[in-house]
Amino acid sequence: SGLSPTSMRIGDIMGNSVRNLVARQDELKALAMIEKGQAEEAKQMILALAPHQDPEQLLSHLRARARVYAALGDWEKALADAETVTRRRARMDADMSELSAQLGKDEAFRDEMKARLEQ
């Protein structure tokens, strides 16, 4: 192909960055829909992007899916996704040897879902 291993790695990094950016925009769109009272529409959108059977989705999609489930009162599914997000975010932070602000937000949401289930 004429591409060196280094240029191929840079291409992978850029591709991942673009995918993460798009997923973050999807997450923000889903959150905006929830705020407008369009939880069912948000669910349809996010499930098209991150089907429930696929836990290996991008973190932003999983986070949005958890928020959609919470908006619909499906605490079990919201908690399952929140736990997956928190676990994966903690691993990412450990790899960078630094805790992110997002991890704290993800843990707070997970704890809120646990509390809802206990009620």
Side-chain angles (χ1 to χ4, degrees):
S1 71
L3 295 174
S4 70
T6 300
S7 64
M8 289 174 54
R9 279 193 301 274
I10 291 170
D12 289 343
I13 291 168
M14 290 183 69
N16 286 336
S17 296
V18 170
R19 278 190 293 281
N20 287 334
L21 180 62
V22 170
R24 177 66 176 144
Q25 294 304 311
D26 294 337
E27 177 185 8
L28 294 173
K29 183 177 179 181
L31 295 176
M33 292 170 81
I34 291 168
E35 287 181 21
K36 292 179 185 175
Q38 301 170 332
E40 278 297 329
E41 292 88 345
K43 179 182 176 184
Q44 290 173 6
M45 181 198 77
I46 203 62
L47 287 179
L49 298 169
H52 188 72
Q53 304 83 356
D54 186 0
E56 294 303 316
Q57 290 293 322
L58 295 170
L59 280 179
S60 293
H61 284 162
L62 285 174
R63 194 177 297 113
R65 193 171 72 189
R67 297 281 180 174
V68 166
Y69 285 139
L72 295 170
D74 192 338
W75 311 123
E76 288 182 21
K77 287 182 180 176
L79 176 59
D81 281 346
E83 286 180 337
T84 299
V85 167
T86 302
R87 242 186 343 269
R88 286 179 53 192
R89 182 76 244 181
R91 274 196 315 259
M92 289 171 62
D93 287 2
D95 288 345
M96 295 187 308
S97 300
E98 182 178 319
L99 296 181
S100 65
Q102 186 62 53
L103 177 59
K105 293 174 188 176
D106 292 340
E107 288 173 334
F109 180 75
R110 179 204 56 205
D111 294 346
E112 179 185 342
M113 293 305 99
K114 283 182 181 179
R116 297 265 184 171
L117 276 172
E118 291 173 0
Q119 292 178 359

